[in-house]
Amino acid sequence: MSPGPGPDSVPVFNALNALNAERIKLTTLRSLWTTPLLSFVLTAGGTTAVAAALGGKDRTITDDPGVGVFYGLNFGQAALACFAILLIGQEFNTRMIDVSLTAVPRRGRLYGAKLTLGALVGLGVGAAGTAGSFAGYAATVPGAWDGPDFARSATAGVLYPVLLVVFCLGVTALLGNLTAAMGLLVPVVFLLSPLLGGVPGVRRVVQFLPDRAGQYALHYADDPQVSYGHWTGLLIMALWTGAAAYGGLLALRRAK
């Protein structure tokens, strides 16, 4: 009779195993892999359509090329936020998080795998969306690829989706509920904050929200009503993202 499997024969579910498990979830669940694709289509397609329709008529998208190039991001970021929320939120609502924690008992490792996968997807969408947006805009409006601010705007365009995904993941983990995260992040942060940004008395506060600060780094021109520089805007968003990610980790560790 052959001996049964001993403790040493049990595979170690290390960080790479956890990341690979999250990758499998991503590629097999339609709700997960379609939302990043939708984000890219809305970002690049929205910019191309608006530039083609209004490129010679609307100076708001031509005076500052950064505004025109990333016009479609106003739509694409909502889909990307939904992806981040679904990546962990649906496990909370279906209690599949218990199964995940059984497979990966170290909660920090499971959470880190989700953050890593989300950041990689955000990086891919950011790179593709930025390239597609610049190409679509430049096809109608010349000058998008010129000037000293191009490199900064393009870099911010690649990094903004990464920070956005990690921020939304952290907030969702902090709330521990998909519905609550959808109700807070999508309508309030990504729809209400642009409207409040136009209110004079409120704008001084709204400009420090993560999406407002991060999107300022996309602009070519300076805004005298903004209290910080373009790179500082991206830094402000990164601080929000770090705080959200850390808060989500603490909440996941304390959850029963």
Side-chain angles (χ1 to χ4, degrees), residues 148-176:
D149 297 315
F150 159 69
R152 172 185 44 76
S153 180
T155 301
V158 174
L159 295 179
Y160 179 86
V162 179
L163 296 174
L164 175 64
V165 169
V166 175
F167 173 77
C168 292
L169 266 167
V171 173
T172 306
L174 183 60
L175 296 174

Side-chain angles (χ1 to χ4, degrees), residues 17-39:
N17 296 139
L19 181 59
N20 187 52
E22 294 302 320
R23 178 192 62 81
I24 293 172
K25 294 177 188 177
L26 171 66
T27 55
T28 54
L29 293 175
R30 183 179 300 177
S31 60
L32 288 182
W33 64 261
T34 54
T35 44
L37 290 178
L38 178 61
S39 176

